[in-house]
Amino acid sequence: MIEHQEITSFAIYPSIGVARVGNSPDAYYFGPEHPGAEREKGGYRDASGRIKRQAARFRVYGLDARGQVVQEITADDARITWKVEIANKKAAWFDFDQALDIPESQTLASTLRNANVKGPERASLAITPAPASISGKNINAQGDDASRAFNGRFVNKSVYLGELRTDEKGRLVFLGGRGEAASFDGQPATTFANNIGWHDDTSDGPVDATIEYGGKTYEAKGAWVIVGPPDYAPGVQGIVTGWDLLFQVATEMDPARIPQRPKFSEHIYPLLQRLTQTQWVNAGFARDFGFGTLSDFTDPALVARLNDPSDASRALRCRILDSFRNASYAHPQPAAIPAYYGDSMTGDTTKAGPREWMAVLPTQYRWLEQWAEGHFEADGPPAAPRPWNSLSAAEQVQGIDRAVLDEVLGGPFHPGAEFTWPMRNKILYEEPLRIKRRAAPAPDWGPQLISSIALGPGGPLDGSTPGDITRWMATPWQTDTSSCLSAYVPYVDDYLPTFWPARVPNDVLDEAQYDTLMKSTSESEKQRVFAFERRVKWLRGIRYPMDPTFPPKIYPSKEAINKFIREWAIVGIVEAKPGPGGLFPREIWVETGRQIEHDQPKATALAPIWSSED
């Protein structure tokens, strides 16, 4: 037990929690809560092969008079009453055209989605369930308490957005929607982001807690929950993660957070290692950074050289720095790292500006510069994570925030996976990582939204209400996920650039290839090598032919996105499995659970390789 005088206030962690939709009616799993902790193997589908929802778990911590974290507070220590309010406002918001905070958007004016719905009737486009509360241990464990569910309406249809539960310690367990998307008039989807009449069941909103402790009642510092699409490659991190992005914003709000010297284990190795890890979801990264290449950033001999601050490794460090795209975006650098499309990607490389491609963040680029000069702490690759119970309370909350956001993408934002460009603007936050609440009702922004209004004081970023984070995203999310591919212009590269392979894979090893690779030595070595080197398209049968073609053809967008709306839950999930070692990796990431039949979108002709709709 804690001495009462030690605790003077309370805060909820994670500051931003992330849940994900899934079509399993009952089963769910928790996303990472501890950086580096081992993930549950094979835990993403239920016994019937349906995708589990990812739950977001929230905890209360007590703080002392200096604001220092003392200890987690559970239902054993206090009465905790949780309150959550979420919404989905996508259909009532503005079109996504392009990120409004980049120079290329200064003359852009985004118009209203569903502009044909006017006046008071526009309120029916926003799904706004009543807030829900919960308190106690193991409450609503089966999910059958209607009072803990979020049920709203879209036009004349009931829409379920999620529910509240608690665990054995009274922590909040939040579950989002089940991946349902539909249009109120039955019309098919036609584009990647702004489909008239459509809704989905993602959402976001504030998380609050009232704590009765030591004879007093307190209001905890609040958090936020965001519900995103499934993670189709759990454990594969983006080159820029959500944590990287929000740490960048935190340094803009509080420059004292910037370390004087980067640590190899924390600031350099993870960035390089992600290039190699992406080999499991994109064939171009496998070719350039994969197992056995000269740029395999998990190779112990190479890592030892990279961790050497002496002049002996200086040329290598500088060469790697020079390969990264400069975060200043002074001019286009199409051949630089990372080979990702950017925020203003158009597909027309003859007219491309710098943001046709994504750069690492300014903090990341500065750390690479210091590393190249030898000004870094050579502490080696990250050590194995310490057990949760051995961490101090302060280490626990820092770890929770980072673990959650490292599994979220920090770019590119066209519009993105879980959230988009507003999250990189400090006006959105009341303090680092804490989303600012809007005190008064938002004004009517009119029929168009321009950059200066969106970014200015009092604008839509200056304080948030339920649904305000996800409203900037594509509606429904399935059309964007199935449109963001790789190598739209294959004469530039067969596999690169790409968009979000860490969440939406491009090229994968299937289970048949894995079985061949893992067979006994009687299997031809040549066959095993071929099985390992070959990749198949993750969206085969939806965006690509079932049988490999080269260069790969792309099915017409409209047919493909509607097929993915129907079949998003039966595509494969890329998971880590044991490898054979020796000439092959000891860990191999394999597409699992795919259930798509060998049919194709109904189409009479193939679309051009590049389509402006994507």
Side-chain angles (χ1 to χ4, degrees), residues 39-311:
R39 286 175 165 269
E40 179 183 357
K41 302 297 186 195
Y44 305 108
R45 294 187 188 271
D46 66 16
S48 299
R50 294 168 295 197
I51 292 180
K52 296 179 183 179
R53 287 182 285 176
Q54 177 179 303
R57 178 159 47 192
F58 292 89
R59 308 165 187 248
V60 169
Y61 279 79
L63 315 179
D64 65 18
R66 299 173 299 161
Q68 302 299 307
V69 180
V70 176
Q71 185 172 331
E72 182 182 1
I73 302 298
T74 71
D76 293 333
D77 309 301
R79 178 176 174 81
I80 303 171
T81 302
W82 299 93
K83 179 183 176 182
V84 180
E85 185 175 4
I86 58 171
N88 177 312
K89 297 177 179 176
K90 289 182 177 183
W93 193 234
F94 293 89
D95 281 343
F96 174 82
D97 300 302
Q98 190 168 265
L100 292 177
D101 61 346
I102 59 176
E104 293 86 344
S105 298
Q106 298 310 298
T107 60
L108 180 65
S110 294
T111 57
L112 286 170
R113 285 174 174 157
N114 297 293
N116 57 317
V117 181
K118 301 182 183 299
E121 292 184 5
R122 287 196 62 81
S124 69
L125 298 171
I127 308 168
T128 55
S133 297
I134 195 168
S135 181
K137 300 179 181 180
N138 291 317
I139 303 301
N140 194 30
Q142 303 304 315
D144 52 3
D145 185 346
S147 69
R148 317 296 186 187
F150 296 97
N151 290 298
R153 299 194 69 79
F154 179 70
V155 187
N156 58 0
K157 174 188 175 184
S158 177
V159 178
Y160 164 86
L161 292 184
E163 66 196 60
L164 302 183
R165 306 184 186 192
T166 61
D167 69 8
E168 70 282 357
K169 290 291 187 179
R171 305 179 186 106
L172 176 66
V173 176
F174 174 91
L175 294 167
R178 295 195 173 98
E180 296 184 4
S183 64
F184 61 68
D185 57 5
Q187 294 300 305
T190 60
T191 185
F192 81 103
N194 306 302
N195 287 289
I196 296 173
W198 279 79
H199 79 278
D200 62 29
D201 58 3
T202 61
S203 63
D204 69 273
V207 177
D208 293 303
T210 300
I211 295 91
E212 298 174 32
Y213 179 81
K216 297 181 180 180
T217 300
Y218 302 82
E219 295 297 324
K221 184 179 294 185
W224 208 270
V225 66
I226 296 173
V227 182
D231 183 348
Y232 290 108
V236 178
Q237 295 183 346
I239 306 302
V240 175
T241 72
W243 170 259
D244 296 330
L245 181 76
L246 267 67
F247 183 81
Q248 169 74 42
V249 177
T251 64
E252 296 169 7
M253 301 177 74
D254 179 12
R257 289 174 176 258
I258 303 175
Q260 291 187 347
R261 287 159 56 95
K263 292 182 178 180
F264 183 80
S265 64
E266 183 177 352
H267 305 108
I268 304 302
Y269 178 80
L271 177 59
L272 300 178
Q273 183 264 347
R274 290 171 196 156
L275 296 171
T276 293
Q277 189 182 44
T278 307
Q279 69 178 301
W280 305 118
V281 288
N282 178 276
F285 278 84
R287 177 196 63 205
D288 296 344
F289 304 103
F291 179 81
T293 66
L294 295 177
S295 297
D296 177 356
F297 290 116
T298 62
D299 176 56
L302 178 57
V303 172
R305 293 182 63 195
L306 301 176
N307 188 50
D308 176 9
S310 74
D311 286 345

Side-chain angles (χ1 to χ4, degrees), residues 12 55-57 128 147 152 170 221 340 348 362 369 373 376 410 530 582:
I12 300 170
R57 178 159 47 192
T128 55
S147 69
K221 184 179 294 185
Y340 274 25
D348 186 352
E369 289 180 315
E373 291 297 319
F376 68 98
F530 180 76

